[in-house]
Amino acid sequence: MNAYIKYTKFVLLFVFLVIIAGSVVRTTQSGMGCPDWPHCYGRLIPPSSVNDLPPDYRKYLDKQDIDMEYNPVHAWVEYINRLITGALGILLVVHVGWTFKKFFSSRQSICWLSCLFLVGTVFEAWLGKLVVDTNLAVVKITLHMLGALFLALIPVLILHKLDSNKPIHDKRLAILTTIALIVLLLQIIIGTDVREQVDEISKALNYEQRDTWLGQINTIFDVHRIVAVVTSLLVIFIFWRSLSHAALQKKALFLLLIVLLTAAAGFLMASLNIPAFIQPVHLLLSSVLFISLFAYRLNLKK
């Protein structure tokens, strides 16, 4: 059992790797680094230089929105992102097989969750193809990211079903955590809208004049900051109330640490004109906070 639990946790961590890889692709404007899918310029492996391009490479460059000539860095960033997603699929095939062998005769709900995990990942790969086919349509990018986030909930549910610890009975804390989850999800969705506007503004300015990007975002950015404050206050209150439950104190302290780091990353992004290196960190921390808060809520019973 311990080996299976460790493997499920490893797969969960790999989902976060997929999320951060996708964010790196987006912040480096590498989404169309490979303009075709599943190949890259008609090849299984991206060309290492212009000399390795196929004779008809121009038909691929015509799909680009940033590179007028072949950019091997963008190609390899996107290609590595695809490899990481493919590796997750392989890990999940193993997970499904292991789950059915171990639990099919006793706990079939875990088997179906594992299958859903695999099917969801295949759907994510298909959605990634649509993103490429539609030249990075912003709505599909957002759905792609949210899909990955909800995928991470599945191994958390599996781990919860295998947890022998009894839930904590605290109705007020359970309601408070549920509210915090809803507000945080709203915050993430609003954040994706802000990010979509940044993408459109930066593209219109040829990815220059970074210091003017935030000033061109509409009032949704102010809403984003207000909801961020509300989320932080809710998590702080959850931490305070968790002090009365010894079994929840470490989990609540982790939530507090992550929400403070997330807020700090958001502050740095706004203060330093959205530096590319902080964007994946901010997204990763937000994702970890949402998944951790979900896992925390599973430990509570009204």
Side-chain angles (χ1 to χ4, degrees):
M1 180 70 76
N2 287 338
Y4 177 84
I5 290 175
K6 288 180 179 179
Y7 185 76
T8 302
K9 290 180 178 179
F10 173 72
V11 174
L12 173 59
L13 291 175
F14 213 88
V15 174
F16 287 119
L17 180 60
V18 170
I19 290 173
I20 197 169
S23 180
V24 170
V25 167
R26 195 170 182 183
T27 55
T28 58
Q29 290 86 47
S30 299
M32 292 300 290
C34 291
D36 48 330
W37 193 98
H39 297 93
C40 188
Y41 287 89
R43 296 164 52 108
L44 291 177
I45 299 177
S48 57
S49 68
V50 175
N51 296 330
D52 298 322
L53 288 169
D56 59 347
Y57 76 95
R58 278 289 165 190
K59 73 178 184 181
Y60 300 109
L61 277 176
D62 289 342
K63 300 179 182 180
Q64 286 277 19
D65 63 342
I66 180 170
D67 295 322
M68 296 300 100
E69 296 296 337
Y70 176 62
N71 188 323
V73 174
H74 285 172
W76 277 97
V77 169
E78 166 59 13
Y79 184 71
I80 291 172
N81 174 50
R82 295 180 185 183
L83 287 180
I84 292 173
T85 304
L88 175 62
I90 295 172
L91 290 174
L92 285 176
V93 170
V94 174
H95 191 272
V96 170
W98 195 350
T99 303
F100 269 77
K101 181 179 179 180
K102 194 172 188 67
F103 297 110
F104 186 72
S105 60
S106 57
R107 308 180 73 172
Q108 291 190 6
S109 62
I110 296 179
C111 297
W112 303 132
L113 281 173
S114 182
C115 287
L116 179 62
F117 201 1
L118 177 58
V119 171
T121 301
V122 172
F123 175 79
E124 274 290 286
W126 173 76
L127 190 56
K129 178 182 183 302
L130 284 186
V131 169
V132 173
D133 290 344
T134 56
N135 197 359
L136 304 182
V138 289
V139 174
K140 290 185 175 66
I141 292 176
T142 298
L143 290 175
H144 194 42
M145 189 280 291
L146 290 177
L149 187 62
F150 281 101
L151 273 181
L153 298 180
I154 300 175
V156 172
L157 283 171
I158 293 174
L159 292 169
H160 175 69
K161 286 181 174 291
L162 297 174
D163 189 357
S164 58
N165 294 323
K166 294 182 179 180
I168 304 296
H169 290 265
D170 190 324
K171 183 177 180 180
R172 290 184 178 179
L173 187 55
I175 294 173
L176 178 65
T177 307
T178 301
I179 293 172
L181 264 173
I182 294 171
V183 173
L184 179 55
L185 180 59
L186 176 64
Q187 166 74 351
I188 291 173
I189 293 173
I190 293 173
T192 61
D193 186 50
V194 172
R195 178 64 214 209
E196 287 176 5
Q197 289 191 47
V198 170
D199 286 348
E200 293 170 353
I201 293 167
S202 60
K203 183 178 179 180
L205 296 173
N206 295 317
Y207 304 97
E208 298 176 351
Q209 304 176 46
R210 186 178 288 270
D211 58 323
T212 68
W213 294 359
L214 283 180
Q216 299 185 51
I217 301 175
N218 62 26
T219 54
I220 195 68
F221 183 58
D222 295 323
V223 176
H224 181 61
R225 288 189 289 189
I226 292 171
V227 178
V229 172
V230 174
T231 302
S232 299
L233 291 175
L234 285 170
V235 173
I236 291 171
F237 192 58
I238 288 171
F239 170 75
W240 175 77
R241 188 168 180 86
S242 298
L243 294 178
S244 60
H245 301 287
L248 295 175
Q249 289 177 6
K250 289 184 178 180
K251 295 181 176 65
L253 181 60
F254 181 76
L255 288 175
L256 180 64
L257 176 62
I258 294 298
V259 79
L260 292 177
L261 289 174
T262 305
F267 175 78
L268 287 175
M269 285 180 64
S271 302
L272 302 177
N273 299 319
I274 322 180
F277 72 94
I278 295 182
Q279 294 175 45
V281 175
H282 186 57
L283 175 61
L284 177 63
L285 289 171
S286 300
S287 302
V288 171
L289 178 60
F290 181 74
I291 301 304
S292 300
L293 191 59
F294 178 77
Y296 179 92
R297 176 61 182 86
L298 292 176
N299 290 290
L300 295 169
K301 190 173 183 179
K302 293 182 180 181

